[in-house]
Amino acid sequence: MSDAAPDMQDLYRELVIDHSRNPRHFGRLEDATHTADGINPLCGDKLRLYFRVDASGTIESSSFEGSGCAISIASASLLTEAVTGLEVDDAKSCSATISTRLTTAAPYANLDAHLENLKALDGVRAYPSRVKCATLAWHALQAALTNDTQPATTE
Amino acid sequence: MGATAKTVTATDWRADFPALDQSVHGQPLVYLDSAASAQQPAAVIDAVASYQREDHANVHRGVHTLSHRATEAYEGARDKVRDFINAKSRSEIVLTSGTTESINLVAQSFCRPRLQPGDKILITHLEHHANIVPWQLVCEQTGAELVVAPINERGEVELDSLLGLIDDRVFLIGMAHISNALGTVCPVEKVIEHARQRGIPVLIDGAQGVPHLDVDVQALDCDFYAFSGHKMFGPTGTGVLYGREAILDAMPPWQGGGDMILEVSFDKTIYNELPYKFEAGTPNISGVVGLGAAVDYLQSIGMQTIARYEQKLHDHMVARLSNVDGMRLIGQARRKASVQSFLLDDIHSHDLGTILDHQGVAIRTGHHCAMPVMQYFGVSGTCRASLAFYNTHDDIDRLVAALDKARELFA
Ligand SMILES: Cc1ncc(COP(=O)(O)O)c(C=O)c1O
């Protein structure tokens, strides 16, 4: 069964396993200014993202809580690292960049330094049934920062 | 451990199923998801194909040869189903699109016109959504109340609690024969016996019963028994509602259209006799032909033989899984069919499903359309291996090896 192993490791890269095991910025963020839920009804994944945006429109801090598979948790954890310190508009465009990266067959574009770690999610492209796990947090980010009242879902 | 115990028969049965003979991600397929949908033997696939090639026409309506052949094939399948579950009469076999439609038919045609506010529908905590939501709908429509009998930590229906919930307001009891999520074989015989004494009709959701047990509706003495073709090695989009003739007779049709009428005028329409009264419109003829072939196939092996073989395989699976480090078995009923839900360490069921798929092992992950069961066990989902008689000891070995691999990856 060894020939199946490399593929699996491409999906479950070390960084993904690490972030799913030890999610960064996990928990509720007091005095959050923006928050949104992400729900994947198919898997039962549920995430809540929190952001505190300062007066100048910069994301001061981010956090998330919830439950889900390794891919969805790692993705949310990586997200909080990537967008903290960004302008709201820049964070929203990250969301678009990552969603496109994971859902299209286009060649991988270069990523800005702060998004570099998100390459760890590239493996999901080969797993159509798992792409939604990786994009869930990014949908929620988009919803939080546009202050949608509806939870983001993958459906 | 597995190789020596492998039986010749299972290997033979396996060869009857073309879809099992393939590789997935470079590994021979191990299909452990029959509870979601079972594979079809060549006998079923061929019966459907030859019907389509040679005999297809609409049923019950033409005088021409093909229509006659199609009608014979379709009605012949009904006779086979009647024999398979030992119903008294072919009038009691209503052909539907599946368990879901069968249950909705009972909720809407039998219950809805009769239910009064304050009446109760009694179900159990381990039901599939198909045996929950149709009752919720009809309760909303009529002001009736849905009452749920509890399960215990082994995943068994608590019989005494269930019987304790029966009172004069209980209008109908609906319960699974076998839980799809937990494998529990429910004490339907005892429930039916008590319900009969009090004149309360019982519907058995037999979606998982029929593939694993020798079902005899007369011996069970239930009022309704619902099941699906695709879980008993037949085509999707086919199903059966067995109903006691006197009860079906008294029920109004639930959908109107062709085939379900004797005479239509704008003043008055006379409904057709049973079971056609409940079969409006052109049915899934080729699917039903396949369902008939599935019955023939199962009877050629014998449901008792199947049940015995599966029980052994199940016990072997449970023993092997119990020895996997980090294993949490969910569903440990004393009477159980060949289905096992589990979780491994803290690995999410979807991750495990993907890792197993990569090794050619197909299991089901998630809530199995039984969210209340998941809530009871405090989990968002489980992994579920469900066996049919075409599975072997080798399949169990492959499952266990794949789980070991997953632990390595997540170590
Ligand atoms: C116990 C049980 N009831 C009902 C159903 C619904 O069957 P279908 O989707 O074929 O209508 C299923 C299918 O998963 C089941 O396992």
Side-chain angles (χ1 to χ4, degrees):
Chain A
M1 305 198 182
S2 55
D3 61 335
D7 287 339
M8 283 193 297
Q9 263 135 16
D10 195 41
L11 179 62
Y12 294 104
R13 295 180 195 185
E14 254 170 57
L15 197 61
V16 170
I17 301 269
D18 173 31
H19 274 259
S20 73
R21 291 256 135 130
N22 313 295
R24 320 296 198 269
H25 310 110
F26 192 81
R28 191 191 161 83
L29 186 65
E30 300 305 333
D31 56 31
T33 54
H34 294 66
T35 165
D37 290 339
I39 297 169
N40 184 340
L42 223 62
C43 317
D45 292 349
K46 276 190 200 137
L47 300 175
R48 174 166 290 172
L49 272 60
Y50 302 91
F51 303 98
R52 189 164 62 237
V53 178
D54 69 15
S56 71
T58 302
I59 300 176
E60 255 178 7
S61 44
S62 330
S63 79
F64 79 104
E65 58 186 3
S67 62
C69 65
I71 307 296
S72 64
I73 297 295
S75 179
S77 173
L78 288 162
L79 177 152
T80 58
E81 284 196 327
V83 303
T84 305
L86 295 187
E87 301 286 313
V88 164
D89 282 345
D90 291 341
K92 283 203 228 169
S93 78
C94 289
S95 166
T97 305
I98 298 301
S99 295
T100 310
R101 185 177 181 90
L102 299 181
T103 55
T104 63
Y108 293 117
N110 286 330
L111 287 175
D112 295 340
H114 62 279
L115 292 179
E116 189 67 23
N117 274 347
L118 289 156
K119 284 185 181 165
L121 296 173
D122 285 349
V124 299
R125 263 199 194 180
Y127 299 81
S129 65
R130 303 302 302 278
V131 168
K132 286 174 175 177
C133 308
T135 54
L136 181 61
W138 298 90
H139 288 303
L141 165 78
Q142 195 73 27
L145 298 182
T146 42
N147 264 336
D148 278 351
T149 46
Q150 286 291 314
T153 84
T154 52
E155 297 308 297
Chain B
M1 167 167 202
T4 50
K6 190 166 74 179
T7 68
V8 177
T9 33
T11 315
D12 290 349
W13 294 328
R14 185 189 198 92
D16 295 336
F17 292 79
L20 296 177
D21 182 22
Q22 64 174 300
S23 288
V24 168
H25 298 294
Q27 308 287 335
L29 171 64
V30 172
Y31 190 74
L32 303 178
D33 195 20
S34 299
S37 203
Q39 297 299 339
Q40 296 172 25
V44 169
I45 298 166
D46 294 347
V48 173
S50 92
Y51 166 80
Q52 303 279 33
R53 281 175 190 280
E54 291 155 30
D55 303 326
H56 174 64
N58 212 327
V59 289
H60 305 142
R61 349 196 144 175
V63 294
H64 61 78
T65 302
L66 262 55
S67 174
H68 178 66
R69 275 196 229 146
T71 305
E72 294 266 288
Y74 181 77
E75 292 303 326
R78 191 191 310 275
D79 290 327
K80 290 172 187 185
V81 170
R82 185 211 63 74
D83 182 61
F84 185 57
I85 60 168
N86 193 32
K88 213 177 274 173
S89 149
R90 67 193 315 281
S91 309
E92 300 179 318
I93 305 297
V94 179
L95 296 167
T96 66
S97 65
T99 309
T100 302
E101 189 185 19
S102 296
I103 296 175
N104 277 283
L105 193 166
V106 174
Q108 291 301 313
S109 168
F110 179 67
C111 297
R112 189 173 180 181
R114 293 176 178 79
L115 275 176
Q116 302 293 323
D119 282 348
K120 299 173 185 171
I121 303 282
L122 175 58
I123 62 170
T124 84
H125 202 111
L126 56 62
E127 302 307 318
H128 186 281
H129 297 163
N131 202 27
I132 301 174
V133 185
W135 309 122
Q136 288 177 324
L137 284 171
V138 77
C139 284
E140 249 168 54
Q141 290 157 344
T142 60
E145 187 195 343
L146 189 66
V147 180
V148 182
I151 53 176
N152 62 27
E153 65 285 358
R154 279 191 297 268
E156 296 164 329
V157 173
E158 291 274 273
L159 184 64
D160 290 342
S161 312
L162 186 153
L163 297 179
L165 288 168
I166 299 179
D167 62 24
D168 291 342
R169 295 314 298 267
V170 173
F171 178 83
L172 177 133
I173 301 171
M175 74 187 291
H177 202 165
I178 293 176
S179 154
N180 67 309
L182 301 168
T184 313
V185 181
C186 298
V188 293
E189 298 83 357
K190 294 215 176 74
V191 172
I192 294 166
E193 191 188 316
H194 278 80
R196 290 291 287 165
Q197 282 163 12
R198 307 190 57 148
I200 300 168
V202 179
L203 174 139
I204 303 298
D205 172 355
Q208 303 293 342
V210 156
H212 298 294
L213 302 172
D214 190 6
V215 173
D216 178 334
V217 291
Q218 291 190 69
L220 277 176
D221 207 19
C222 56
D223 300 276
F224 298 105
Y225 196 98
F227 57 102
S228 298
H230 71 102
K231 310 225 190 238
M232 52 173 283
F233 316 95
T236 54
T238 64
V240 176
L241 174 67
Y242 159 81
R244 212 187 280 283
E245 186 158 3
I247 295 184
L248 288 180
D249 233 357
M251 285 161 54
W254 93 298
Q255 286 179 338
D259 261 351
M260 51 74 71
I261 47 80
L262 280 183
E263 201 179 314
V264 176
S265 75
F266 290 116
D267 297 330
K268 184 168 173 55
T269 290
I270 302 171
Y271 305 130
N272 204 339
E273 61 189 15
L274 285 178
Y276 309 106
K277 183 170 81 174
F278 295 108
E279 295 179 13
T282 300
N284 181 357
I285 309 168
S286 65
V288 167
V289 169
L291 176 63
V295 168
D296 284 342
Y297 178 79
L298 288 172
Q299 287 184 327
S300 76
I301 300 173
M303 289 312 297
Q304 310 241 5
T305 306
I306 287 172
R308 267 195 307 273
Y309 174 77
E310 286 183 352
Q311 199 62 53
K312 279 196 204 128
L313 197 61
H314 164 266
D315 294 348
H316 176 68
M317 167 171 72
V318 172
R320 290 294 314 269
L321 288 178
S322 306
N323 283 330
V324 174
D325 284 339
M327 175 60 62
R328 174 182 173 197
L329 297 180
I330 294 174
Q332 299 186 281
R334 282 159 293 191
R335 258 183 93 199
K336 212 156 144 279
S338 53
V339 172
Q340 185 63 57
S341 266
F342 60 88
L343 286 170
L344 188 63
D345 294 323
D346 56 353
I347 306 175
H348 192 278
S349 64
H350 284 99
D351 295 317
L352 206 50
T354 297
I355 297 166
L356 264 54
D357 178 54
H358 250 278
Q359 299 172 76
V361 179
I363 59 161
R364 175 82 185 269
T365 61
H367 54 62
H368 316 294
C369 293
M371 284 187 176
V373 172
M374 302 300 123
Q375 287 149 15
Y376 175 84
F377 286 99
V379 298
S380 67
T382 69
C383 301
R384 180 189 71 188
S386 58
L387 310 175
F389 56 88
Y390 47 55
N391 292 116
T392 63
H393 279 59
D394 277 353
D395 293 343
I396 311 292
D397 292 343
R398 290 274 310 279
L399 168 65
V400 170
L403 291 171
D404 288 341
K405 200 104 200 166
R407 291 199 85 215
E408 266 171 45
L409 191 72
F410 272 79

